[in-house]
Amino acid sequence: MANNPLPFPKFYDENKADEVYRVPYEIRANQAIEWRTEYSIQAADEDQFRTCLVLIDVQNTFCIPEFELFVGGTSGRGAVEDNQRLSQFMYRNLSQISQITVTMDSHLPIQIFHAAYLVNQNGEHPAPNTMVSVEDVKNGVWRFNPHAAGTLGITAEQGQAHLLYYVEQLAVKGKYQLNIWPYHAMLGGIGHAIVSIIEEAIFFHSIVRTSQPEYILKGENPATEHYSAISPEVVQTVDGKLISSRNNRLLEKLKEFDRVVIAGQAKSHCVAATVGDLLEDILKEDPRLAEKVYLLDDCASSVVIPGVIDFSPQAEAAYTKFEAAGMKRITSDYVF
């Protein structure tokens, strides 16, 4: 049976979902202590039934309209509306969420999906959202930038060989074609930070429930994309060397917790990829574990570039598959 939803704290303002602001930690901490007392909320270590909320890449770079890779979805305001609903879900269910785990897309300027990594025969970099195919690399339309070799600790020949191998591996595995994304989620930059309205809710939850949030960085390796928080898109180089090891932490959480709730951005890319890898491991270990996973359907939007591409159908196909495997699709008004 569901518990009664908690009210929103007095400081909460859903209209700030599209803003970057400083969270007044000391004030919020004192309010959290008062909140805990007023509503008789127990510490997380006393939970008999334990729930982990997993937030995928709810960062300014994806969630604030004027930032680099704002996920507008079909409405044009997708991530903003998602975070209004997500923050409300977090406050309503604060007494039932035992821990919050947050993944963070984390990038450097020279990576295989950023323009600085590639050049054409004139030494020009590709424009944002350029799609790079196997044929493009084979025909020299796009090639590895030889000036990047030294800073990456490789030779120009190794860089070119890896680029070709990489796009070939994407094609063989049926993954998204290599897309040159705008520079985004830059480590140390404001775009990398968790969007303020969610960071505030995470902090408030942490103090109320005496529960340390966990942050998982992904995507720093220049040789691969890393949509999923569990596994990179390509795990080895052309000569068989490991690019980035698989992170099994989310699978371990599935074992530790009685329920895992997942939301974030973008539904069509990092969320779907993470849940897909999670399901793959579940099916190998115990298909019944899928029943522990709850997908917050209205707290994630797909990548939509008006007039260019809409990944919503791919996201829906993925979520349909997840649901068929036993995962539950819920909306933000759900109360545990």
Side-chain angles (χ1 to χ4, degrees), residues 98-216:
S98 307
Q99 190 190 25
I100 299 174
T101 292
V102 186
T103 74
M104 299 182 72
D105 218 23
S106 307
H107 298 321
L108 298 166
I110 305 172
Q111 297 197 244
I112 200 164
F113 48 83
H114 278 159
Y117 194 93
L118 300 111
V119 291
N120 61 17
Q121 61 183 0
N122 298 319
E124 300 164 334
H125 300 295
N129 297 312
T130 296
M131 304 298 286
V132 180
S133 68
V134 174
E135 291 72 24
D136 288 338
V137 179
K138 286 183 174 180
N139 295 331
V141 176
W142 297 112
R143 61 190 69 180
F144 174 71
N145 179 4
H147 296 297
T151 195
L152 296 179
I154 58 177
T155 66
E157 292 74 20
Q158 288 173 325
Q160 182 62 28
H162 176 68
L163 177 61
L164 177 57
Y165 173 76
Y166 188 86
V167 293
E168 288 176 336
Q169 285 297 298
L170 292 182
V172 167
K173 295 178 180 180
K175 292 180 176 288
Y176 293 118
Q177 197 173 61
L178 176 61
N179 183 68
I180 304 305
W181 296 104
Y183 295 104
H184 67 286
M186 303 302 292
L187 272 167
I190 195 168
H192 185 254
I194 299 300
V195 68
S196 300
I197 198 169
I198 300 300
E199 194 234 337
E200 189 168 41
I202 293 169
F203 179 79
F204 190 74
H205 169 271
S206 179
I207 302 301
V208 172
R209 307 230 51 212
T210 318
S211 174
Q212 195 85 292
E214 178 184 23
Y215 290 86
I216 299 173

Side-chain angles (χ1 to χ4, degrees), residues 3-296:
N3 292 277
N4 292 325
L6 289 167
F8 303 145
K10 291 181 180 178
F11 63 78
Y12 176 71
D13 182 357
E14 67 172 10
N15 295 316
K16 297 177 74 174
D18 61 356
E19 296 180 18
V20 176
Y21 59 88
R22 183 184 68 83
V23 176
Y25 299 116
E26 293 300 326
I27 293 173
R28 293 293 178 266
N30 290 330
Q31 291 170 322
I33 293 168
E34 294 172 359
W35 193 258
R36 178 201 306 159
T37 301
E38 182 176 357
Y39 293 100
S40 302
I41 300 173
Q42 67 184 17
D45 66 355
E46 297 179 348
D47 289 351
Q48 296 300 307
F49 190 94
R50 303 182 68 234
T51 296
C52 179
L53 175 62
V54 178
L55 303 180
I56 308 292
D57 301 0
V58 283
Q59 298 162 266
N60 289 331
T61 199
F62 303 115
C63 297
I64 300 295
E66 62 267 26
F67 276 67
E68 302 87 4
L69 271 182
F70 174 63
V71 182
T74 54
S75 74
R77 293 273 293 174
V80 172
E81 296 162 346
D82 294 337
N83 288 328
Q84 289 175 327
R85 292 186 287 262
L86 176 57
S87 57
Q88 291 167 6
F89 172 86
M90 293 169 71
Y91 289 122
R92 286 193 195 101
N93 290 280
L94 188 142
S95 63
Q96 303 303 308
I97 299 170
S98 307
Q99 190 190 25
I100 299 174
T101 292
V102 186
T103 74
M104 299 182 72
D105 218 23
S106 307
H107 298 321
L108 298 166
I110 305 172
Q111 297 197 244
I112 200 164
F113 48 83
H114 278 159
Y117 194 93
L118 300 111
V119 291
N120 61 17
Q121 61 183 0
N122 298 319
E124 300 164 334
H125 300 295
N129 297 312
T130 296
M131 304 298 286
V132 180
S133 68
V134 174
E135 291 72 24
D136 288 338
V137 179
K138 286 183 174 180
N139 295 331
V141 176
W142 297 112
R143 61 190 69 180
F144 174 71
N145 179 4
H147 296 297
T151 195
L152 296 179
I154 58 177
T155 66
E157 292 74 20
Q158 288 173 325
Q160 182 62 28
H162 176 68
L163 177 61
L164 177 57
Y165 173 76
Y166 188 86
V167 293
E168 288 176 336
Q169 285 297 298
L170 292 182
V172 167
K173 295 178 180 180
K175 292 180 176 288
Y176 293 118
Q177 197 173 61
L178 176 61
N179 183 68
I180 304 305
W181 296 104
Y183 295 104
H184 67 286
M186 303 302 292
L187 272 167
I190 195 168
H192 185 254
I194 299 300
V195 68
S196 300
I197 198 169
I198 300 300
E199 194 234 337
E200 189 168 41
I202 293 169
F203 179 79
F204 190 74
H205 169 271
S206 179
I207 302 301
V208 172
R209 307 230 51 212
T210 318
S211 174
Q212 195 85 292
E214 178 184 23
Y215 290 86
I216 299 173
L217 303 188
K218 66 179 180 69
E220 308 101 309
N221 194 297
T224 183
E225 298 159 286
H226 212 309
Y227 294 122
S228 168
I230 295 174
S231 180
E233 297 303 294
V234 175
V235 299
Q236 292 182 328
T237 62
V238 64
D239 54 0
K241 293 180 180 178
L242 185 68
I243 294 176
S244 180
S245 59
R246 189 175 179 85
N247 183 344
N248 291 315
R249 182 59 184 147
L250 293 187
L251 180 63
E252 292 305 311
K253 280 200 169 295
L254 187 64
K255 298 174 184 176
E256 293 174 16
F257 288 85
D258 300 293
R259 177 168 52 214
V260 176
V261 184
I262 302 175
Q265 302 303 334
K267 189 176 191 177
S268 55
H269 286 71
C270 295
V271 179
T274 299
V275 178
D277 280 348
L278 187 59
L279 179 58
E280 181 181 331
D281 283 335
I282 286 171
L283 294 177
K284 290 177 182 177
E285 180 163 339
D286 182 357
R288 293 172 298 178
L289 291 174
E291 297 174 4
K292 289 185 177 185
V293 180
Y294 291 69
L295 305 176
L296 272 171

Side-chain angles (χ1 to χ4, degrees), residues 53 74 78 81-83 85-86 89 261-268 271 275 293-302 312 315-320 322-323 327-334 336:
L53 175 62
T74 54
E81 296 162 346
D82 294 337
N83 288 328
R85 292 186 287 262
L86 176 57
F89 172 86
V261 184
I262 302 175
Q265 302 303 334
K267 189 176 191 177
S268 55
V271 179
V275 178
V293 180
Y294 291 69
L295 305 176
L296 272 171
D297 215 1
D298 63 343
C299 295
S301 291
S302 295
S312 301
E316 180 57 30
Y319 270 54
T320 298
F322 303 151
E323 187 175 29
M327 297 180 178
K328 300 173 179 65
R329 295 174 72 168
I330 62 173
T331 53
S332 55
D333 55 358
Y334 196 97
F336 292 115

